[in-house]
C-alpha cells in the first residue's frame, strides 16, 4: 500500500476515535460539574445541620425564662473547670489545684413582684435582673439559674478574696437594680430603700472547701443558709474559707467605708455623708483572684 493510501486509511480510522474522545471528554466535564454541584449542595446541607445542632445545643443549655445557662450546663461547666484546675496543678507542680470558687445566690422578694405584676411580668423582671448580673462578672465566669430564684456562679482562677468581691457586687446589684417599668408615663425614680429585692450569697473555694463538685456545692449551700439566717442581703463564706483568727471576711471589711454588704456595715447608698457608688462592671481583663 502506498503512503498516501495509508495516510487516508489512518485518517478515516482516527476520525471516529477523535470524535469519541471529544464526546467522552465532554461527558467527563459534565460529570465533574455535576459532582461539584452535588458537593456544594452537600456542604450547604452540612452547614445547615451544624447550625441547627448548635442552636439545639444552645437551647438545651439555656434557661428559657432568664436566658442564662441552665442547671445542666452549670454541672458540666463545674466538672470541666475542676478537671482543668487539677491538670493545671500537675502541669505547674503545685501543692494543690488552682483556685476555683463557686457562689450560690438566692434572690428574695419576688412574691411581692408576682402579686403586683403577675407571673409573666415577674418572669420578665427576673430575666432582666439575670442579664444584669451576667454583666457583673468576667467572660471567663459562668452564671446560670440553679433553681427558682437561685443562681450559681462558677469563678475559675478565683480565690476566697476574689469571690468575696464578686459576692458583694452581686448582692449590691440585686438590691439597687432598677426594675422594669410597666407604666406608660414617666419612669419612676429609684426607691429610697431599694427595689424590694434582696439577695443572700454563699461561697466556697477549691480546694479549701472540697475537691469535688458535690462537696463544693454543699459547702456553698451551707454558707448560703448562714447568710439567710443572718437576714439576707449579705453573703457568707464556707467555714473552712474563713480566717483562722475567727473573724470572717465580712467583719474584716465592716469598718471600711464603702462596704457593699449591709451585713458588713451600712449601705453606702443610704448612709449619710457617703456618696452613692456605682456598680463595678466586670470585663474580660478583670482579675478577681
Amino acid at each position: 500500500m502506498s503512503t498516501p493510501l495509508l495516510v487516508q486509511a489512518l485518517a478515516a480510522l482516527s476520525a471516529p476515535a477523535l470524535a469519541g474522545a471529544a464526546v467522552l471528554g465532554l461527558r467527563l466535564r459534565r460529570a465533574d460539574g455535576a459532582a461539584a454541584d452535588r458537593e456544594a449542595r452537600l456542604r450547604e446541607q452540612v452547614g445547615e445541620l451544624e447550625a441547627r445542632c448548635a442552636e439545639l445545643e444552645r437551647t438545651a443549655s439555656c434557661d428559657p425564662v432568664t436566658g442564662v445557662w441552665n442547671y445542666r450546663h452549670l454541672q458540666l461547666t463545674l466538672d470541666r473547670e475542676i478537671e482543668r484546675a487539677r491538670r493545671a496543678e500537675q502541669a505547674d507542680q503545685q501543692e494543690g489545684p488552682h483556685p476555683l470558687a463557686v457562689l450560690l445566690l438566692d434572690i428574695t422578694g419576688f412574691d411581692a413582684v408576682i402579686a403586683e405584676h403577675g407571673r409573666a411580668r415577674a418572669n420578665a423582671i427576673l430575666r432582666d435582673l439575670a442579664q444584669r448580673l451576667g454583666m457583673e462578672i468576667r467572660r471567663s465566669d459562668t452564671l446560670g439559674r440553679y433553681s427558682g430564684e437561685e443562681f450559681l456562679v462558677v469563678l475559675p482562677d478565683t480565690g476566697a478574696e476574689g469571690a468575696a468581691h464578686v459576692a458583694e457586687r452581686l448582692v449590691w446589684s440585686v438590691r439597687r437594680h432598677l426594675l422594669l417599668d410597666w407604666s406608660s408615663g414617666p419612669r419612676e425614680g429609684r426607691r429610697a430603700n431599694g427595689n424590694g429585692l434582696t439577695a443572700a450569697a454563699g461561697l466556697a473555694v477549691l480546694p479549701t472547701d472540697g475537691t469535688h463538685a458535690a462537696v463544693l456545692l454543699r459547702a456553698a449551700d451551707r454558707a448560703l443558709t448562714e447568710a439567710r439566717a443572718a437576714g439576707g442581703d449579705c453573703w457568707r463564706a464556707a467555714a473552712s474559707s474563713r480566717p483562722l483568727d475567727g473573724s470572717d471576711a465580712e467583719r474584716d471589711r465592716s469598718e471600711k467605708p464603702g462596704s457593699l454588704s449591709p451585713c458588713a456595715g451600712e449601705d453606702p447608698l443610704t448612709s449619710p455623708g457617703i456618696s452613692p457608688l456605682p456598680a463595678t462592671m466586670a470585663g474580660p481583663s478583670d482579675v478577681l483572684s
Side-chain angles (χ1 to χ4, degrees), residues 53-77:
C53 288
E55 178 65 20
L56 289 174
E57 184 177 358
R58 186 194 65 80
T59 303
S61 300
C62 285
D63 176 64
V65 175
T66 61
V68 297
W69 299 116
N70 61 15
Y71 179 84
R72 171 180 175 273
H73 184 84
L74 288 172
Q75 291 285 348
L76 295 175
T77 300

Side-chain angles (χ1 to χ4, degrees), residues 68-217:
V68 297
W69 299 116
N70 61 15
Y71 179 84
R72 171 180 175 273
H73 184 84
L74 288 172
Q75 291 285 348
L76 295 175
T77 300
L78 183 55
D79 291 339
R80 183 179 65 249
E81 291 297 336
I82 291 176
E83 183 61 27
R84 188 177 71 88
R86 290 173 177 168
R87 289 198 304 267
E89 169 197 3
Q90 298 174 357
D92 297 344
Q93 296 181 351
Q94 294 183 348
E95 295 181 356
H98 280 202
L100 168 70
V102 294
L103 191 154
L104 273 175
L105 187 77
D106 181 30
I107 302 174
T108 58
F110 261 95
D111 290 340
V113 175
I114 295 173
E116 181 178 356
H117 298 291
R119 174 69 65 177
R121 289 183 174 180
N123 286 342
I125 291 175
L126 182 62
R127 179 185 180 90
D128 182 56
L129 179 57
Q131 297 298 320
R132 173 63 187 181
L133 294 177
M135 297 172 61
E136 295 292 338
I137 60 176
R138 304 168 301 179
R139 288 183 181 273
S140 59
D141 302 332
T142 301
L143 168 73
R145 190 182 185 190
Y146 196 65
S147 66
E149 283 83 47
E150 270 190 6
F151 294 87
L152 176 67
V153 187
V154 181
L155 304 166
D157 302 317
T158 303
E161 183 178 356
H165 289 309
V166 176
E168 285 188 344
R169 189 160 63 240
L170 295 182
V171 169
W172 186 91
S173 296
V174 170
R175 179 172 9 108
R176 303 304 299 176
H177 182 60
L178 190 60
L179 300 183
L180 293 173
D181 182 23
W182 302 101
S183 65
S184 58
R187 187 169 185 142
E188 297 182 359
R190 190 190 303 271
R191 298 180 186 178
N193 297 323
N195 54 26
L197 301 179
T198 58
L203 61 92
V205 180
L206 175 87
T208 307
D209 301 311
T211 57
H212 298 278
V215 179
L216 279 176
L217 291 174

